[in-house]
Amino acid sequence: MRTLVNIPDDDVAALDELAQRNGRSRAAELRVAVSQHLRDRSSNDWIARGAGYWKHRQDVGDAVEYQRAMREDRADF
């Protein structure tokens, strides 16, 4: 399929640099980008993608205790 898209000049320049580094054409880089984007968006592995988001939070403390407090609607968590 052929398509026509408007891409900002700065993005085109970055795309050209990437294509040159990888030894591919601009079109090949765009095909890779679209393919990767669609693969990432269609993944049902949302749990793995979200795992660890709160691991550095100091205000949560023990995660299990935090969940229990939330379920019990306690204010002392």
Side-chain angles (χ1 to χ4, degrees), residues 8-21 29:
D9 292 338
D10 291 346
D11 290 345
V12 172
L15 180 62
D16 286 343
E17 289 176 21
L18 180 66
Q20 185 176 14
R21 259 194 329 265
E29 287 296 338

Side-chain angles (χ1 to χ4, degrees), residues 10-76:
D10 291 346
D11 290 345
V12 172
L15 180 62
D16 286 343
E17 289 176 21
L18 180 66
Q20 185 176 14
R21 259 194 329 265
N22 292 331
R24 292 191 278 227
S25 67
R26 183 189 293 167
E29 287 296 338
L30 287 171
R31 285 190 292 271
V32 168
V34 169
S35 178
Q36 183 176 350
H37 175 71
L38 292 174
R39 185 174 53 252
D40 291 349
R41 297 272 303 172
S42 67
S43 174
N44 291 329
D45 195 15
W46 58 272
I47 293 175
R49 288 193 318 264
Y53 278 174
W54 285 24
K55 68 181 174 184
H56 299 294
R57 295 258 317 251
Q58 300 299 317
D59 59 322
V60 174
D62 179 59
V64 174
E65 180 57 31
Y66 181 82
Q67 290 173 18
R68 287 183 182 136
M70 291 293 289
R71 289 184 186 122
E72 295 172 8
D73 196 27
R74 293 193 333 234
D76 63 338

